Amino acid sequence: MSNSSDVAELDPTAWTREPANEPLEINDAALRAVREMIKSGQRTQLVELLKRWDPVDVMQLLTRLRLKQARKLFQWLPANPSIKVIAELRPEFRSILMEESTLEQFRDILAGLDPEDAIEILNEFPDDVADELIARLPDVEDIATRGSYADDTAGRVMARKFVALPETCTAGEAVAQMRAEASRIRKVFTVYVTDADGKLTGTVEVGKLLLAPADAPLSSFMNRDVIAVSTDTDQEEVLRLARKRDMRTVPVVSGEGHLIGRITPKQLTRIASDEANEDMLLMSGVSSEARSDDTVLRIVRGRLPWLLAGLVGASVAATVVGSYEDQLAEAAILAAFIPVTMSMAGNAGLQASAVAVQGIATGALWSGDIFYRLLKELVAALFNGAIAGTILGCLVLVASLIVPLEDPLHLALATSLSLLCVTTLAAMVGATIPIILDKIGIDPAMAIGVFITSSNDVLGVLIFFLMATTFYLG
């Protein structure tokens, strides 16, 4: 918190750190004061004021201003504060603020920085903005190297700042080296150990290093069970590995095994957020590239293919229903159960696929565990379907006491069995499809969207009419 509540009450331009998504009334005075200073063009006074604020508080201020005012204030900020502020903004806010003039400003800033510092800053930007900035820095080879790695890979997000020492280095020398590197590397959790050729051979946690005898060589107490990833490892796989092995940082090595970077805790958190957002969009039938500030054209391009895919599925389901026109004409009551069947099929499929996708994403679903998991899904689906079918059958029998129904016993039997079969089959499809997609290299989250819903709708109505024809109309 940059200022306490007591200070905020005395100074109308003070800011109190706000909890996530929870604006504080105590900051309204500061917000009004800043808006007035922007409106009246008091750039110097406002910049001097915000220099005393923490970048996180400046970020919160920006997100509470109107977009036009936020852009103007951001352009007023000098290089150092603005770089820190941009790192704190969520991707959607960052992309909104990034205009042509601002990109030119950042290009000049990055060109004057040490390549390692510039790369670290670039890692804080959304990928599309980082790519744009890299394209404007063609003469900076080290920075441009970042652009040579594919999107969503370890090479793209890794930090080049780390502490790497030879095996012969003593604990005392390692601590001294860490102190010397303190200004360059703000947070060190792990010291990497390399051989004479610079290849990663071990790691030492900082706590263990501080407790070791000063004259003990790193090779005598380092952890030789080294887990590292290559530059082309997908960032989702990096996150899965870090969670599985409880790693705070993940080393990145070249094809020859040389240590070239690390995935920091901050980057792991960002990867987790990015992957969760991407899965959420895919599960909703929206392109993973969708943003809240997209143009109308981008919105149409991102959503229309999924809507059309859903239209195809719905059309197939309608065709199935139409093919049983004679049965519906003979017993119109069957039409009342079509929404029930489709709803149960969709819900059962979505539930099973959501659990499967979560298991794949977190690494909890192992290859040797797949058969057991599918068996559990089958048994659970049978129980759920039997219970739901029994309830529906009972409701049909109760309804027959109130309204006249032809042959209610067979109608209850047909609807109960159809619900049992639909729920079971939909759950198995929902649990299996994400695993198959993952095996062939397709994001399993795509299965939860239109594909599962549409396929289960078709299967649902088909099974319902087969059961109705067999047990009710037969």
Side-chain angles (χ1 to χ4, degrees), residues 141-357:
E141 184 176 351
D142 290 341
I143 296 178
T145 301
R146 180 189 185 277
S148 65
Y149 299 116
D151 290 341
D152 299 333
T153 60
R156 195 59 174 265
V157 299
M158 68 181 180
R160 272 73 170 180
K161 293 181 179 181
F162 51 86
V163 177
L165 301 170
E167 297 177 351
T168 55
C169 181
T170 65
E173 292 170 340
V175 171
Q177 182 66 29
M178 286 176 54
R179 288 172 179 164
E181 298 278 0
S183 60
R184 187 176 71 91
I185 308 175
R186 292 188 294 274
K187 294 181 180 179
V188 178
F189 301 100
T190 303
V191 173
Y192 298 107
V193 185
T194 60
D195 60 15
D197 296 326
K199 295 182 179 180
L200 181 64
T201 58
T203 59
V204 177
E205 297 300 317
V206 171
K208 189 174 182 179
L209 177 64
L210 296 174
L211 295 175
D215 59 349
L218 297 181
S219 59
S220 66
F221 61 91
M222 70 181 186
N223 174 27
R224 296 182 181 274
D225 182 20
V226 182
I227 303 296
V229 298
S230 61
T231 54
D232 60 353
T233 303
D234 187 88
Q235 65 176 20
E236 189 171 3
E237 182 61 32
V238 174
L239 180 63
R240 193 178 304 168
L241 177 65
R243 286 172 170 171
K244 182 178 179 181
R245 299 298 295 263
D246 195 23
M247 302 169 69
R248 301 182 74 179
T249 62
V250 181
V252 182
V253 297
S254 65
E256 296 76 27
H258 295 103
L259 181 65
I260 58 175
R262 62 174 179 142
I263 311 296
T264 65
K266 188 174 184 178
Q267 284 304 113
L268 289 174
T269 301
R270 180 181 170 187
I271 291 171
S273 176
D274 290 345
E275 293 298 331
N277 290 335
E278 181 179 333
D279 286 350
M280 180 183 68
L281 291 172
L282 290 174
M283 289 160 57
S284 304
V286 180
S287 169
S288 60
E289 302 298 322
R291 297 291 181 268
S292 59
D293 60 318
D294 281 347
T295 62
V296 172
L297 183 59
R298 279 182 61 92
I299 292 174
V300 172
R301 279 207 313 259
R303 300 182 189 180
L304 185 59
W306 299 92
L307 293 174
L308 294 179
L311 177 62
V312 171
S315 300
V316 174
T319 302
V320 172
V321 173
S323 66
Y324 287 90
E325 181 180 0
D326 293 340
Q327 286 82 352
L328 285 172
E330 182 180 347
I333 187 61
L334 294 177
F337 295 95
I338 294 176
V340 177
T341 303
M342 295 177 68
S343 175
M344 287 296 293
N347 289 337
L350 287 175
Q351 288 174 345
S353 57
V355 173
V357 169

